[in-house]
Amino acid sequence: MSNQAVASRGNVEPGAAQAPALRSRPAAPASSRFAVGGGRHAAIKLASVAAFIALWQWLSSNHVDLKIITFANIPAPSDVAPAFLNLLESPKLAAHIGNSLWRVFAGFIAAAALGIGLGLIVGRSRWVADILMPPLEILRPIPGVAWIPVAILAFPSSEASMIFITFMGALFPVLLNTIHGVESVDPRLIATARSLGAKPLSIFLEVILPSATPSITTGLAIGMGTAWFCLVTAEMISGEFGIGYFTWESYSLQNYADILVGMVFIGAFGMLSSVFIKQAGRALTPWLATQEKQH
Amino acid sequence: MNAINEAISPDAGVAVGNIEINGVGIELGRGADRFEAVRNLDLDIPAGQFVCLLGPSGCGKSTLLGAIAGHIRATHGAVRLDGERINGPHPDRGLVFQHHTLFPWKKVIDNVAFGLKMKGVAKAERNKRALELIKLVGLGGFENRYPAQLSGGMQQRVEIARVLINHPRVLLMDEPFGALDALTRNMMQELLLEVWEKIRTTVVFVTHDIDEALFLADRVIVMTHRPGRLLADIPIGFPRPRNRDLLTAPEFVAIKRQCLHLLHGEHEQFKQADPLQRLSPLGPSLITETQVHLSE
């Protein structure tokens, strides 16, 4: 073969030796700092959490009163743990969690669909940006929670109003990050795609969309956080079921240990859903994992 | 050899790739920033010729390349390929930049096969042809890497393969090896010549490295300081295949001296001038132009 010489010489190029050996590298997700890093680090981290809980236990069980802040009425971990187990056995738990999850995902998915769709168009077309962005810019600084009274007035069903508030919370992070992702596409890549024969639709699907994906997934992760935040607040005001409602109801009924149980659930589900978004984002952008490893 | 030719140019046979540049002047920028990059240039490049554009930085050679590629419009005159006036980028005219423009989210094989995908070639067929080109540029075994996992020289090989898969009539190269270390650059020059021996397309290669120009080209066009005009048109008749020994041959050194004098004269004349920005073959108002094109 006449190209043998080319091929064999290619393999001894100095740069080739420096290229990282992909297959030998373990897949190391960015959030692995808690998982790996040696047993000692893990032990220190666990001890830190244990110390935090011990401090809380001590402050609460001794009813420590620091004048500015008092722990006299705060249930201790030893009260919260049984309440937690109690709720785990309660049939109401599934209804609370199910309602919250449904609302958060309904609002989040609506916000993701509209935010990504609108962001892709606004990022590519100055005309659409001029027409649509001014009213959105006016609404942007208004926090999702501030929409609660209007939402109650505007939506006959409290279910719809809670989903709307969740939607408002998630919309802007997704929209703005999508626009940013589209606007920061390397114009050289677009020019290259054109000179390789790509038509506008192909440029959009093959260049703009993948190029904007990392920014979009960042927007989705932030949006998921604000969606939970807005949902919990909305449930405290107008819910019948849901984790936020459970937390506030516990306060009203003076089941103070249950307040903390509600908070634990809110934290856990917020964390789980952002892990879910991050994993989905990582699956959509496999090339970024290889770039991270280069540094 | 036959297999390669089939893979690269299944509908070859027609000798094409003749570039005609007639009275071309190019002005870039807007309003007060407007300047003349190229002035009244005439050049005829026959099909299959390897031409190097040599000149001081900012002399408009990249701009001229951009006009052949179709990314920049000539203000005066016309650039024609095989008699047809160039009015936009086309897969027939492949452009390779100094810094790679591979799609970071596509593996090597998908980057190389991109042009065929745009033509609607089925996946199995385009992957087969892409693999043959990947092997031709010496990257067999690297087809499933992402661009970020390759060295600079390897990235430029992928870039060359990606352009060649469209079997372009013209290969346009804008200092493609300028960012590589000396050793890798030498290897890439030899690789390019070997590939070119197999795929005789017209090559227009921009460089400010005299050795590189003389080693590669059939013909070196020396350009003046901005606005770029034709300063000298030097035929390079060294036999092929060429090897590195050529660089120390007396004939080579004689032509090199001639080029040095030409460029030095240019430098003396203009060393008081403001330092010039490096221009891209995509033109200065790149972002707005691509957006305009897309919204059309």
Side-chain angles (χ1 to χ4, degrees):
Chain A
M1 281 297 283
S2 55
N3 64 338
Q4 200 103 34
V6 184
S8 61
R9 216 215 3 254
N11 290 340
V12 295
E13 182 199 332
Q18 292 154 17
L22 172 67
R23 274 148 289 176
S24 65
R25 286 184 180 228
S31 63
S32 63
R33 280 180 49 186
F34 282 94
V36 291
R40 190 192 297 173
H41 290 291
I44 293 171
K45 284 164 185 167
L46 272 177
S48 165
V49 173
F52 167 77
I53 293 173
L55 178 68
W56 169 18
Q57 177 71 42
W58 180 79
L59 288 168
S60 296
S61 53
N62 291 297
H63 304 287
V64 173
D65 189 350
L66 301 172
K67 302 302 170 200
I68 305 173
I69 179 171
T70 172
F71 291 86
N73 302 315
I74 305 294
S78 55
D79 303 322
V80 174
F84 181 82
L85 295 173
N86 218 10
L87 182 65
L88 280 186
E89 283 163 12
S90 155
K92 282 186 177 176
L93 177 67
H96 287 308
I97 290 175
N99 271 286
S100 288
L101 283 180
W102 148 249
R103 286 166 196 153
V104 107
F105 279 99
F108 176 77
I109 284 165
L114 190 73
I116 294 173
L118 209 57
L120 290 174
I121 300 168
V122 167
R124 285 315 299 175
S125 160
R126 186 156 306 157
W127 274 102
V128 179
D130 284 346
I131 293 166
L132 291 182
M133 284 315 282
L136 289 172
E137 287 290 340
I138 293 168
L139 297 182
R140 178 161 73 115
I142 303 170
V145 175
W147 285 88
I148 291 177
V150 173
I152 293 170
L153 294 178
F155 292 93
S157 111
S158 66
E159 203 58 37
S161 71
M162 282 185 285
I163 291 172
F164 173 75
I165 290 153
T166 312
F167 163 83
M168 287 309 291
L171 178 65
F172 285 103
V174 178
L175 176 67
L176 297 176
N177 275 282
T178 305
I179 294 174
H180 172 77
V182 171
E183 283 177 346
S184 52
V185 175
D186 183 353
R188 296 187 327 139
L189 295 183
I190 295 175
T192 298
R194 278 175 63 214
S195 64
L196 289 168
K199 301 276 179 295
L201 180 66
S202 296
I203 290 176
F204 185 79
L205 294 175
E206 304 273 348
V207 183
I208 293 165
L209 199 56
S211 180
T213 301
S215 185
I216 294 174
T217 54
T218 303
L220 290 176
I222 300 172
M224 182 52 99
T226 48
W228 270 106
F229 169 81
C230 290
L231 173 77
V232 166
T233 319
E235 281 180 344
M236 286 186 175
I237 292 166
S238 63
E240 256 176 88
F241 274 108
I243 302 170
Y245 169 77
F246 171 81
T247 308
W248 191 251
E249 187 202 33
S250 306
Y251 169 75
S252 311
L253 300 176
Q254 298 188 327
N255 295 332
Y256 292 155
D258 278 345
I259 298 175
L260 277 297
V261 173
M263 288 171 68
V264 168
F265 271 103
I266 292 165
F269 278 97
M271 195 175 78
L272 282 177
S273 36
S274 61
V275 165
F276 171 73
I277 296 291
K278 275 184 188 154
Q279 289 295 340
R282 206 166 284 143
L284 285 171
T285 56
W287 68 94
L288 289 183
T290 66
Q291 282 171 7
E292 275 167 24
K293 285 177 205 168
Q294 292 244 307
H295 297 305
Chain B
M1 184 74 200
N2 274 340
I4 289 163
N5 274 340
E6 265 167 41
I8 289 134
S9 44
D11 43 32
V14 226
V16 285
N18 170 227
I19 304 168
E20 289 165 279
I21 297 167
N22 293 318
V24 163
I26 302 171
E27 287 165 29
L28 296 173
R30 294 205 171 90
D33 291 332
R34 198 161 176 85
F35 63 91
E36 197 179 8
V38 174
R39 180 186 291 172
N40 196 24
L41 207 106
D42 288 297
L43 194 61
D44 188 79
I45 303 173
Q49 195 168 53
F50 198 129
V51 174
C52 278
L53 298 179
L54 185 66
S57 32
C59 76
K61 49 196 193 302
S62 293
T63 305
L64 182 62
L65 201 72
I68 303 173
H71 287 294
I72 296 174
R73 213 166 290 236
T75 319
H76 312 286
V79 184
R80 289 189 178 81
L81 176 63
D82 297 322
E84 222 172 292
R85 198 174 173 142
I86 288 165
N87 57 9
H90 191 276
D92 264 353
R93 285 165 273 123
L95 182 57
V96 175
F97 297 90
Q98 179 174 3
H99 297 286
H100 81 86
T101 56
L102 300 173
F103 303 119
W105 47 86
K106 286 183 184 291
K107 292 177 177 174
V108 166
I109 188 161
D110 297 322
N111 264 292
V112 174
F114 185 78
L116 296 181
K117 188 176 185 184
M118 294 302 102
K119 280 183 190 162
V121 176
K123 190 171 178 113
E125 173 64 15
R126 64 176 191 251
N127 280 355
K128 188 178 137 244
R129 282 161 69 181
L131 265 178
E132 283 171 66
L133 269 156
I134 290 167
K135 282 184 191 139
L136 180 71
V137 297
L139 283 182
F142 289 89
E143 59 271 8
N144 287 321
R145 299 273 185 115
Y146 287 105
Q149 297 173 295
L150 303 176
S151 68
M154 295 162 103
Q155 287 166 343
Q156 289 301 66
R157 291 166 190 235
V158 180
E159 189 94 31
I160 292 168
R162 181 173 70 172
V163 161
L164 288 180
I165 205 161
N166 285 322
H167 37 89
R169 291 189 248 177
V170 181
L171 178 55
L172 305 168
M173 308 187 88
D174 184 35
E175 301 191 25
F177 311 140
L180 305 177
D181 65 86
L183 209 65
T184 311
R185 182 195 295 211
N186 290 350
M187 272 177 189
M188 290 297 292
Q189 290 166 359
E190 286 166 32
L191 175 96
L192 177 64
L193 286 186
E194 275 179 64
V195 170
W196 183 69
E197 296 286 332
K198 292 175 189 136
I199 309 160
R200 284 282 181 155
T201 170
T202 309
V203 181
V204 184
F205 188 108
V206 163
T207 182
H208 55 237
D209 179 339
I210 299 176
D211 280 349
E212 184 169 65
L214 300 187
F215 180 69
L216 293 173
D218 293 322
R219 177 185 179 193
V220 170
I221 305 293
V222 186
M223 287 176 69
T224 65
H225 201 275
R226 200 149 85 196
R229 283 147 294 156
L230 202 129
L231 184 63
D233 185 344
I234 307 167
I236 312 291
F238 306 124
R240 297 178 189 273
R242 296 174 181 174
N243 65 50
R244 290 270 138 212
D245 291 341
L246 179 63
L247 269 70
T248 47
E251 305 88 338
F252 187 96
V253 175
I255 301 180
K256 183 174 175 177
R257 187 173 297 132
Q258 184 192 351
C259 291
L260 275 170
H261 280 301
L262 285 167
L263 291 176
H264 187 67
E266 275 302 299
H267 181 68
E268 280 299 304
Q269 211 174 331
F270 288 95
K271 69 180 172 189
Q272 258 80 39
D274 292 333
L276 297 166
Q277 70 190 89
R278 193 185 128 75
L279 292 171
S280 154
L282 297 176
S285 50
L286 179 65
I287 295 166
T288 47
E289 266 179 27
T290 46
Q291 278 182 343
V292 167
H293 273 287
L294 281 175
S295 55
E296 269 168 9

